[in-house]
Amino acid sequence: MTRALDIAFPLALAALVLGAWEWAIHHWQVPHYVLPAPSAIAQALCANFASLMASLGSTLWVTLQAFAAATLLGVATAIGFTQSRLLERTLYPYAVILQVTPVVAIAPLILIWVGFDHINLALVIVATIVAFFPILAGATLGLKSADFNLLDLARLHGASRLQVLWRIRLPTALPYLLSGMKTAGGLALIGAVVAEFVAGSGTATGLAWRIVESGNRLEIATLFAALALLALAGVVIFAALSLLEWALLRRWHESAISE
Amino acid sequence: MTLLSLFGVGKQFSNGTQALRDLSFCVNQGAFVSLLGPSGCGKSTALRLTAGLLAPDTGTVDFPSSRPETGFVFQEPTLMPWADALTNVRLPLDLKSVRRDEANARAAVVLARVGLGGFERALPRELSGGMKMRVSLARALVAQPQLLLLDEPFAALDEITRAQLGDDLLRLWQEDGLTILFVTHSVSESAYLSQRVLVLSQRPGTITADIALPGARDARLSPATIEAQRTISTALNGAIAA
């Protein structure tokens, strides 16, 4: 019952807002190049469906690659940090610098260095940088959160570093890592969009490029359609990662156990 | 035969706390020895030194024969929350790369011995505090240790559960011929369970009384047990006053 209401109330709000929006556009005769009505956006979506889907696919592909790369790199770096204090001391400040430097500012450099003939690689690198840090932070915290007594017990029984990592540290880190991954999933999409914006015309074919292009042509309805698809993609990514988290943690972790 | 001996052991922590000073005692094979003292007197430190988890600053921890296979039970159950009871018990065997089917069989046998037959697939969060402690005890026993070290294992349990677990521990000690070093701050527990009680002074801990309790104390409130409690209490009060 409450589950149904969780879905019903937001849907009702959406219907209300869209209805009011539609009415307001017609009532005040708002020009379509300023703000198109929801019906016009839906029409634009249908009219450009094939090309918008291709753009969505392109953006999602960059996002997926960046997310996978950020996860692998983040976990690998975090494992390195827990194995070597020296490595952590040396590298951590640079990880922070990478995180706090606005990626829009370094994206043009990356595009130049990688080259416009490898545009997909350049986009993936930019998006990876954006998504990397939450994974690193989550995995590092998680790997360090292993129960000290459990680590002592492993030592007592002569466990190797690899055994400790595999049997104790990684399972302990899983909830923290998944939380980082949920943040990183959304960031990978944002990173892909930012990279496409910077890459600009003639190179990128993703949704962000469609937004720029539609804006330039004053096809605001198409712009909104692309925007809606981006938002939808973000929601789907978040939902998929939440599902993964639930599947992996539901049996044992407090955060995923329902009453 | 002496299984382990500590001689002149001292330990200071990096924050400057002197936990132990000139601690010396021997434990014979097959003995059930309690290490009793006030909170913060270094009992746990002594146990960790014995287990080899800490190195002493001064003195020696010596095993006249080779270092025995050792089981350790912490004050908390210290289980892996993601793993079922069987997998938790199996951990020492897994770390020794014992074959999976053999490890499972051995873990199941030990679980049954601590009264948890049928709970192999239960996760820690599905078990009560006493049951979790039993899993922890089973894990300490699965590798067939000669020496069992227990660090106030029943301190967080209710009285009834504590009494049951104490009796089970006595049974396992007798059946397996274990040597047990049992850290506790409970006079009644040490009087009922052990053959010998070492009383530690306040920090820095050192042994102030070595009380042998010969003969069986077949019940918690038998005259012999009460008499043992009185002896231990007197020694403990002396240790605290000193």
Side-chain angles (χ1 to χ4, degrees), chain A residues 227-259:
Chain A
L227 198 58
L229 285 177
L230 269 182
L232 191 67
V235 170
V236 168
I237 289 170
F238 186 81
L241 289 170
S242 299
L243 191 69
L244 178 72
E245 185 181 42
W246 178 82
L248 290 175
L249 302 184
R250 74 195 155 91
R251 289 198 66 213
W252 66 275
H253 200 256
E254 281 84 350
S255 67
I257 295 167
S258 51
E259 289 303 311

PDB file of all heavy atoms in Angstrom, chain A residues 227-259:
ATOM      1  N   LEU A 227      16.897  16.821 -23.213  1.00  0.00           N
ATOM      2  CA  LEU A 227      17.083  17.027 -21.778  1.00  0.00           C
ATOM      3  C   LEU A 227      16.311  15.982 -20.983  1.00  0.00           C
ATOM      4  O   LEU A 227      16.820  15.396 -20.017  1.00  0.00           O
ATOM      5  CB  LEU A 227      16.601  18.434 -21.416  1.00  0.00           C
ATOM      6  CG  LEU A 227      17.074  19.020 -20.096  1.00  0.00           C
ATOM      7  CD1 LEU A 227      18.584  19.070 -20.059  1.00  0.00           C
ATOM      8  CD2 LEU A 227      16.490  20.425 -19.941  1.00  0.00           C
ATOM      9  N   ALA A 228      15.065  15.728 -21.395  1.00  0.00           N
ATOM     10  CA  ALA A 228      14.234  14.739 -20.704  1.00  0.00           C
ATOM     11  C   ALA A 228      14.884  13.357 -20.785  1.00  0.00           C
ATOM     12  O   ALA A 228      14.912  12.607 -19.799  1.00  0.00           O
ATOM     13  CB  ALA A 228      12.831  14.705 -21.315  1.00  0.00           C
ATOM     14  N   LEU A 229      15.428  13.035 -21.962  1.00  0.00           N
ATOM     15  CA  LEU A 229      16.088  11.727 -22.109  1.00  0.00           C
ATOM     16  C   LEU A 229      17.299  11.620 -21.192  1.00  0.00           C
ATOM     17  O   LEU A 229      17.556  10.567 -20.598  1.00  0.00           O
ATOM     18  CB  LEU A 229      16.507  11.509 -23.568  1.00  0.00           C
ATOM     19  CG  LEU A 229      15.367  11.164 -24.527  1.00  0.00           C
ATOM     20  CD1 LEU A 229      15.897  11.054 -25.951  1.00  0.00           C
ATOM     21  CD2 LEU A 229      14.679   9.875 -24.112  1.00  0.00           C
ATOM     22  N   LEU A 230      18.059  12.729 -21.070  1.00  0.00           N
ATOM     23  CA  LEU A 230      19.227  12.725 -20.172  1.00  0.00           C
ATOM     24  C   LEU A 230      18.801  12.473 -18.736  1.00  0.00           C
ATOM     25  O   LEU A 230      19.405  11.666 -18.019  1.00  0.00           O
ATOM     26  CB  LEU A 230      19.953  14.071 -20.246  1.00  0.00           C
ATOM     27  CG  LEU A 230      21.078  14.213 -21.257  1.00  0.00           C
ATOM     28  CD1 LEU A 230      21.698  15.601 -21.140  1.00  0.00           C
ATOM     29  CD2 LEU A 230      22.137  13.146 -21.028  1.00  0.00           C
ATOM     30  N   ALA A 231      17.747  13.183 -18.310  1.00  0.00           N
ATOM     31  CA  ALA A 231      17.266  13.016 -16.942  1.00  0.00           C
ATOM     32  C   ALA A 231      16.808  11.578 -16.724  1.00  0.00           C
ATOM     33  O   ALA A 231      17.115  10.954 -15.697  1.00  0.00           O
ATOM     34  CB  ALA A 231      16.113  13.988 -16.664  1.00  0.00           C
ATOM     35  N   LEU A 232      16.108  11.059 -17.725  1.00  0.00           N
ATOM     36  CA  LEU A 232      15.624   9.684 -17.630  1.00  0.00           C
ATOM     37  C   LEU A 232      16.802   8.707 -17.522  1.00  0.00           C
ATOM     38  O   LEU A 232      16.791   7.775 -16.697  1.00  0.00           O
ATOM     39  CB  LEU A 232      14.786   9.353 -18.871  1.00  0.00           C
ATOM     40  CG  LEU A 232      14.003   8.047 -18.813  1.00  0.00           C
ATOM     41  CD1 LEU A 232      12.908   8.136 -17.765  1.00  0.00           C
ATOM     42  CD2 LEU A 232      13.411   7.710 -20.186  1.00  0.00           C
ATOM     43  N   ALA A 233      17.838   8.960 -18.324  1.00  0.00           N
ATOM     44  CA  ALA A 233      19.022   8.089 -18.269  1.00  0.00           C
ATOM     45  C   ALA A 233      19.645   8.122 -16.877  1.00  0.00           C
ATOM     46  O   ALA A 233      20.017   7.083 -16.319  1.00  0.00           O
ATOM     47  CB  ALA A 233      20.042   8.527 -19.326  1.00  0.00           C
ATOM     48  N   GLY A 234      19.725   9.323 -16.293  1.00  0.00           N
ATOM     49  CA  GLY A 234      20.287   9.457 -14.941  1.00  0.00           C
ATOM     50  C   GLY A 234      19.481   8.658 -13.929  1.00  0.00           C
ATOM     51  O   GLY A 234      20.043   7.957 -13.084  1.00  0.00           O
ATOM     52  N   VAL A 235      18.152   8.759 -14.037  1.00  0.00           N
ATOM     53  CA  VAL A 235      17.282   8.028 -13.107  1.00  0.00           C
ATOM     54  C   VAL A 235      17.473   6.519 -13.274  1.00  0.00           C
ATOM     55  O   VAL A 235      17.566   5.775 -12.289  1.00  0.00           O
ATOM     56  CB  VAL A 235      15.801   8.428 -13.324  1.00  0.00           C
ATOM     57  CG1 VAL A 235      14.877   7.506 -12.539  1.00  0.00           C
ATOM     58  CG2 VAL A 235      15.590   9.875 -12.918  1.00  0.00           C
ATOM     59  N   VAL A 236      17.543   6.081 -14.523  1.00  0.00           N
ATOM     60  CA  VAL A 236      17.692   4.640 -14.775  1.00  0.00           C
ATOM     61  C   VAL A 236      19.030   4.134 -14.217  1.00  0.00           C
ATOM     62  O   VAL A 236      19.092   3.070 -13.591  1.00  0.00           O
ATOM     63  CB  VAL A 236      17.585   4.334 -16.291  1.00  0.00           C
ATOM     64  CG1 VAL A 236      18.019   2.905 -16.590  1.00  0.00           C
ATOM     65  CG2 VAL A 236      16.155   4.565 -16.756  1.00  0.00           C
ATOM     66  N   ILE A 237      20.089   4.914 -14.419  1.00  0.00           N
ATOM     67  CA  ILE A 237      21.398   4.521 -13.877  1.00  0.00           C
ATOM     68  C   ILE A 237      21.326   4.390 -12.359  1.00  0.00           C
ATOM     69  O   ILE A 237      21.763   3.405 -11.768  1.00  0.00           O
ATOM     70  CB  ILE A 237      22.485   5.556 -14.268  1.00  0.00           C
ATOM     71  CG1 ILE A 237      22.790   5.448 -15.755  1.00  0.00           C
ATOM     72  CG2 ILE A 237      23.769   5.338 -13.455  1.00  0.00           C
ATOM     73  CD1 ILE A 237      23.653   6.578 -16.283  1.00  0.00           C
ATOM     74  N   PHE A 238      20.717   5.395 -11.728  1.00  0.00           N
ATOM     75  CA  PHE A 238      20.614   5.373 -10.266  1.00  0.00           C
ATOM     76  C   PHE A 238      19.793   4.166  -9.807  1.00  0.00           C
ATOM     77  O   PHE A 238      20.164   3.461  -8.863  1.00  0.00           O
ATOM     78  CB  PHE A 238      19.980   6.674  -9.766  1.00  0.00           C
ATOM     79  CG  PHE A 238      19.968   6.795  -8.273  1.00  0.00           C
ATOM     80  CD1 PHE A 238      21.104   7.214  -7.594  1.00  0.00           C
ATOM     81  CD2 PHE A 238      18.843   6.479  -7.543  1.00  0.00           C
ATOM     82  CE1 PHE A 238      21.110   7.318  -6.213  1.00  0.00           C
ATOM     83  CE2 PHE A 238      18.838   6.569  -6.156  1.00  0.00           C
ATOM     84  CZ  PHE A 238      19.976   7.002  -5.488  1.00  0.00           C
ATOM     85  N   ALA A 239      18.685   3.922 -10.502  1.00  0.00           N
ATOM     86  CA  ALA A 239      17.821   2.798 -10.122  1.00  0.00           C
ATOM     87  C   ALA A 239      18.549   1.467 -10.289  1.00  0.00           C
ATOM     88  O   ALA A 239      18.459   0.580  -9.430  1.00  0.00           O
ATOM     89  CB  ALA A 239      16.539   2.817 -10.960  1.00  0.00           C
ATOM     90  N   ALA A 240      19.288   1.346 -11.387  1.00  0.00           N
ATOM     91  CA  ALA A 240      20.006   0.092 -11.635  1.00  0.00           C
ATOM     92  C   ALA A 240      21.040  -0.162 -10.548  1.00  0.00           C
ATOM     93  O   ALA A 240      21.167  -1.287 -10.039  1.00  0.00           O
ATOM     94  CB  ALA A 240      20.677   0.141 -13.006  1.00  0.00           C
ATOM     95  N   LEU A 241      21.752   0.911 -10.142  1.00  0.00           N
ATOM     96  CA  LEU A 241      22.779   0.731  -9.110  1.00  0.00           C
ATOM     97  C   LEU A 241      22.151   0.477  -7.742  1.00  0.00           C
ATOM     98  O   LEU A 241      22.685  -0.282  -6.932  1.00  0.00           O
ATOM     99  CB  LEU A 241      23.710   1.942  -9.075  1.00  0.00           C
ATOM    100  CG  LEU A 241      24.628   2.022 -10.292  1.00  0.00           C
ATOM    101  CD1 LEU A 241      25.351   3.362 -10.344  1.00  0.00           C
ATOM    102  CD2 LEU A 241      25.654   0.887 -10.269  1.00  0.00           C
ATOM    103  N   SER A 242      20.996   1.092  -7.492  1.00  0.00           N
ATOM    104  CA  SER A 242      20.293   0.822  -6.237  1.00  0.00           C
ATOM    105  C   SER A 242      19.854  -0.630  -6.186  1.00  0.00           C
ATOM    106  O   SER A 242      19.920  -1.280  -5.140  1.00  0.00           O
ATOM    107  CB  SER A 242      19.064   1.732  -6.101  1.00  0.00           C
ATOM    108  OG  SER A 242      19.466   3.080  -6.089  1.00  0.00           O
ATOM    109  N   LEU A 243      19.417  -1.135  -7.334  1.00  0.00           N
ATOM    110  CA  LEU A 243      18.996  -2.535  -7.418  1.00  0.00           C
ATOM    111  C   LEU A 243      20.175  -3.469  -7.153  1.00  0.00           C
ATOM    112  O   LEU A 243      20.075  -4.450  -6.404  1.00  0.00           O
ATOM    113  CB  LEU A 243      18.401  -2.808  -8.801  1.00  0.00           C
ATOM    114  CG  LEU A 243      17.674  -4.148  -8.965  1.00  0.00           C
ATOM    115  CD1 LEU A 243      16.394  -4.150  -8.156  1.00  0.00           C
ATOM    116  CD2 LEU A 243      17.381  -4.432 -10.432  1.00  0.00           C
ATOM    117  N   LEU A 244      21.312  -3.125  -7.755  1.00  0.00           N
ATOM    118  CA  LEU A 244      22.525  -3.920  -7.531  1.00  0.00           C
ATOM    119  C   LEU A 244      22.890  -3.932  -6.043  1.00  0.00           C
ATOM    120  O   LEU A 244      23.194  -4.976  -5.457  1.00  0.00           O
ATOM    121  CB  LEU A 244      23.687  -3.328  -8.346  1.00  0.00           C
ATOM    122  CG  LEU A 244      25.037  -4.016  -8.174  1.00  0.00           C
ATOM    123  CD1 LEU A 244      25.033  -5.385  -8.848  1.00  0.00           C
ATOM    124  CD2 LEU A 244      26.166  -3.153  -8.742  1.00  0.00           C
ATOM    125  N   GLU A 245      22.820  -2.739  -5.432  1.00  0.00           N
ATOM    126  CA  GLU A 245      23.127  -2.615  -4.013  1.00  0.00           C
ATOM    127  C   GLU A 245      22.186  -3.488  -3.183  1.00  0.00           C
ATOM    128  O   GLU A 245      22.619  -4.238  -2.310  1.00  0.00           O
ATOM    129  CB  GLU A 245      22.978  -1.143  -3.608  1.00  0.00           C
ATOM    130  CG  GLU A 245      23.392  -0.853  -2.190  1.00  0.00           C
ATOM    131  CD  GLU A 245      23.200   0.620  -1.850  1.00  0.00           C
ATOM    132  OE1 GLU A 245      22.166   1.199  -2.235  1.00  0.00           O
ATOM    133  OE2 GLU A 245      24.087   1.189  -1.204  1.00  0.00           O
ATOM    134  N   TRP A 246      20.916  -3.405  -3.499  1.00  0.00           N
ATOM    135  CA  TRP A 246      19.929  -4.184  -2.756  1.00  0.00           C
ATOM    136  C   TRP A 246      20.212  -5.678  -2.912  1.00  0.00           C
ATOM    137  O   TRP A 246      20.178  -6.440  -1.945  1.00  0.00           O
ATOM    138  CB  TRP A 246      18.524  -3.835  -3.267  1.00  0.00           C
ATOM    139  CG  TRP A 246      17.440  -4.620  -2.612  1.00  0.00           C
ATOM    140  CD1 TRP A 246      16.865  -4.365  -1.400  1.00  0.00           C
ATOM    141  CD2 TRP A 246      16.794  -5.787  -3.122  1.00  0.00           C
ATOM    142  NE1 TRP A 246      15.919  -5.312  -1.126  1.00  0.00           N
ATOM    143  CE2 TRP A 246      15.848  -6.197  -2.157  1.00  0.00           C
ATOM    144  CE3 TRP A 246      16.928  -6.530  -4.299  1.00  0.00           C
ATOM    145  CZ2 TRP A 246      15.038  -7.309  -2.333  1.00  0.00           C
ATOM    146  CZ3 TRP A 246      16.116  -7.640  -4.472  1.00  0.00           C
ATOM    147  CH2 TRP A 246      15.187  -8.016  -3.503  1.00  0.00           C
ATOM    148  N   ALA A 247      20.521  -6.086  -4.148  1.00  0.00           N
ATOM    149  CA  ALA A 247      20.739  -7.512  -4.403  1.00  0.00           C
ATOM    150  C   ALA A 247      21.947  -8.027  -3.627  1.00  0.00           C
ATOM    151  O   ALA A 247      21.934  -9.145  -3.108  1.00  0.00           O
ATOM    152  CB  ALA A 247      20.928  -7.756  -5.903  1.00  0.00           C
ATOM    153  N   LEU A 248      22.972  -7.205  -3.515  1.00  0.00           N
ATOM    154  CA  LEU A 248      24.198  -7.679  -2.871  1.00  0.00           C
ATOM    155  C   LEU A 248      24.158  -7.563  -1.346  1.00  0.00           C
ATOM    156  O   LEU A 248      24.839  -8.294  -0.656  1.00  0.00           O
ATOM    157  CB  LEU A 248      25.409  -6.902  -3.408  1.00  0.00           C
ATOM    158  CG  LEU A 248      25.780  -7.203  -4.859  1.00  0.00           C
ATOM    159  CD1 LEU A 248      26.915  -6.296  -5.319  1.00  0.00           C
ATOM    160  CD2 LEU A 248      26.202  -8.658  -5.016  1.00  0.00           C
ATOM    161  N   LEU A 249      23.371  -6.620  -0.841  1.00  0.00           N
ATOM    162  CA  LEU A 249      23.428  -6.350   0.601  1.00  0.00           C
ATOM    163  C   LEU A 249      22.195  -6.804   1.358  1.00  0.00           C
ATOM    164  O   LEU A 249      22.191  -6.825   2.579  1.00  0.00           O
ATOM    165  CB  LEU A 249      23.626  -4.850   0.863  1.00  0.00           C
ATOM    166  CG  LEU A 249      24.864  -4.205   0.261  1.00  0.00           C
ATOM    167  CD1 LEU A 249      24.948  -2.748   0.702  1.00  0.00           C
ATOM    168  CD2 LEU A 249      26.131  -4.940   0.658  1.00  0.00           C
ATOM    169  N   ARG A 250      21.117  -7.145   0.658  1.00  0.00           N
ATOM    170  CA  ARG A 250      19.837  -7.310   1.342  1.00  0.00           C
ATOM    171  C   ARG A 250      19.863  -8.362   2.438  1.00  0.00           C
ATOM    172  O   ARG A 250      19.111  -8.297   3.401  1.00  0.00           O
ATOM    173  CB  ARG A 250      18.730  -7.624   0.341  1.00  0.00           C
ATOM    174  CG  ARG A 250      18.781  -9.051  -0.199  1.00  0.00           C
ATOM    175  CD  ARG A 250      17.938  -9.212  -1.424  1.00  0.00           C
ATOM    176  NE  ARG A 250      18.425 -10.311  -2.222  1.00  0.00           N
ATOM    177  CZ  ARG A 250      17.986 -11.560  -2.086  1.00  0.00           C
ATOM    178  NH1 ARG A 250      17.078 -11.841  -1.196  1.00  0.00           N
ATOM    179  NH2 ARG A 250      18.475 -12.514  -2.840  1.00  0.00           N
ATOM    180  N   ARG A 251      20.764  -9.357   2.304  1.00  0.00           N
ATOM    181  CA  ARG A 251      20.745 -10.425   3.301  1.00  0.00           C
ATOM    182  C   ARG A 251      21.456 -10.047   4.600  1.00  0.00           C
ATOM    183  O   ARG A 251      21.155 -10.591   5.647  1.00  0.00           O
ATOM    184  CB  ARG A 251      21.387 -11.697   2.730  1.00  0.00           C
ATOM    185  CG  ARG A 251      20.530 -12.357   1.679  1.00  0.00           C
ATOM    186  CD  ARG A 251      20.970 -13.779   1.467  1.00  0.00           C
ATOM    187  NE  ARG A 251      20.727 -14.609   2.647  1.00  0.00           N
ATOM    188  CZ  ARG A 251      21.493 -15.629   3.014  1.00  0.00           C
ATOM    189  NH1 ARG A 251      22.566 -15.922   2.333  1.00  0.00           N
ATOM    190  NH2 ARG A 251      21.191 -16.345   4.070  1.00  0.00           N
ATOM    191  N   TRP A 252      22.445  -9.162   4.507  1.00  0.00           N
ATOM    192  CA  TRP A 252      23.261  -8.978   5.714  1.00  0.00           C
ATOM    193  C   TRP A 252      23.506  -7.554   6.158  1.00  0.00           C
ATOM    194  O   TRP A 252      23.812  -7.325   7.312  1.00  0.00           O
ATOM    195  CB  TRP A 252      24.613  -9.681   5.545  1.00  0.00           C
ATOM    196  CG  TRP A 252      25.496  -9.090   4.466  1.00  0.00           C
ATOM    197  CD1 TRP A 252      25.455  -9.392   3.126  1.00  0.00           C
ATOM    198  CD2 TRP A 252      26.518  -8.126   4.618  1.00  0.00           C
ATOM    199  NE1 TRP A 252      26.395  -8.671   2.456  1.00  0.00           N
ATOM    200  CE2 TRP A 252      27.077  -7.895   3.351  1.00  0.00           C
ATOM    201  CE3 TRP A 252      27.044  -7.446   5.721  1.00  0.00           C
ATOM    202  CZ2 TRP A 252      28.112  -6.997   3.129  1.00  0.00           C
ATOM    203  CZ3 TRP A 252      28.074  -6.556   5.499  1.00  0.00           C
ATOM    204  CH2 TRP A 252      28.593  -6.341   4.217  1.00  0.00           C
ATOM    205  N   HIS A 253      23.378  -6.560   5.286  1.00  0.00           N
ATOM    206  CA  HIS A 253      23.766  -5.223   5.710  1.00  0.00           C
ATOM    207  C   HIS A 253      22.579  -4.404   6.169  1.00  0.00           C
ATOM    208  O   HIS A 253      21.549  -4.380   5.501  1.00  0.00           O
ATOM    209  CB  HIS A 253      24.511  -4.488   4.588  1.00  0.00           C
ATOM    210  CG  HIS A 253      25.320  -3.339   5.099  1.00  0.00           C
ATOM    211  ND1 HIS A 253      24.932  -2.034   4.956  1.00  0.00           N
ATOM    212  CD2 HIS A 253      26.482  -3.303   5.791  1.00  0.00           C
ATOM    213  CE1 HIS A 253      25.825  -1.242   5.523  1.00  0.00           C
ATOM    214  NE2 HIS A 253      26.769  -1.984   6.036  1.00  0.00           N
ATOM    215  N   GLU A 254      22.761  -3.718   7.306  1.00  0.00           N
ATOM    216  CA  GLU A 254      21.654  -2.969   7.913  1.00  0.00           C
ATOM    217  C   GLU A 254      20.989  -2.021   6.926  1.00  0.00           C
ATOM    218  O   GLU A 254      19.782  -1.867   6.929  1.00  0.00           O
ATOM    219  CB  GLU A 254      22.163  -2.153   9.116  1.00  0.00           C
ATOM    220  CG  GLU A 254      22.361  -2.957  10.376  1.00  0.00           C
ATOM    221  CD  GLU A 254      23.712  -3.648  10.424  1.00  0.00           C
ATOM    222  OE1 GLU A 254      24.414  -3.658   9.382  1.00  0.00           O
ATOM    223  OE2 GLU A 254      24.058  -4.190  11.480  1.00  0.00           O
ATOM    224  N   SER A 255      21.799  -1.397   6.059  1.00  0.00           N
ATOM    225  CA  SER A 255      21.260  -0.373   5.172  1.00  0.00           C
ATOM    226  C   SER A 255      20.232  -0.945   4.205  1.00  0.00           C
ATOM    227  O   SER A 255      19.368  -0.229   3.727  1.00  0.00           O
ATOM    228  CB  SER A 255      22.401   0.265   4.371  1.00  0.00           C
ATOM    229  OG  SER A 255      22.957  -0.682   3.481  1.00  0.00           O
ATOM    230  N   ALA A 256      20.320  -2.246   3.906  1.00  0.00           N
ATOM    231  CA  ALA A 256      19.467  -2.816   2.869  1.00  0.00           C
ATOM    232  C   ALA A 256      18.379  -3.732   3.439  1.00  0.00           C
ATOM    233  O   ALA A 256      17.579  -4.276   2.692  1.00  0.00           O
ATOM    234  CB  ALA A 256      20.314  -3.591   1.868  1.00  0.00           C
ATOM    235  N   ILE A 257      18.364  -3.885   4.753  1.00  0.00           N
ATOM    236  CA  ILE A 257      17.381  -4.798   5.344  1.00  0.00           C
ATOM    237  C   ILE A 257      16.114  -4.023   5.657  1.00  0.00           C
ATOM    238  O   ILE A 257      16.141  -3.049   6.399  1.00  0.00           O
ATOM    239  CB  ILE A 257      17.951  -5.433   6.628  1.00  0.00           C
ATOM    240  CG1 ILE A 257      19.137  -6.322   6.285  1.00  0.00           C
ATOM    241  CG2 ILE A 257      16.871  -6.244   7.337  1.00  0.00           C
ATOM    242  CD1 ILE A 257      19.951  -6.731   7.481  1.00  0.00           C
ATOM    243  N   SER A 258      15.016  -4.472   5.049  1.00  0.00           N
ATOM    244  CA  SER A 258      13.752  -3.794   5.347  1.00  0.00           C
ATOM    245  C   SER A 258      13.166  -4.393   6.606  1.00  0.00           C
ATOM    246  O   SER A 258      13.390  -5.541   6.936  1.00  0.00           O
ATOM    247  CB  SER A 258      12.795  -3.950   4.174  1.00  0.00           C
ATOM    248  OG  SER A 258      12.717  -5.305   3.829  1.00  0.00           O
ATOM    249  N   GLU A 259      12.407  -3.583   7.292  1.00  0.00           N
ATOM    250  CA  GLU A 259      11.832  -4.020   8.578  1.00  0.00           C
ATOM    251  C   GLU A 259      10.870  -5.170   8.378  1.00  0.00           C
ATOM    252  O   GLU A 259      10.075  -5.180   7.476  1.00  0.00           O
ATOM    253  CB  GLU A 259      11.104  -2.844   9.237  1.00  0.00           C
ATOM    254  CG  GLU A 259      12.048  -1.773   9.750  1.00  0.00           C
ATOM    255  CD  GLU A 259      13.065  -2.307  10.753  1.00  0.00           C
ATOM    256  OE1 GLU A 259      12.657  -3.003  11.697  1.00  0.00           O
ATOM    257  OE2 GLU A 259      14.253  -2.047  10.558  1.00  0.00           O
TER     258      GLU A 259
END
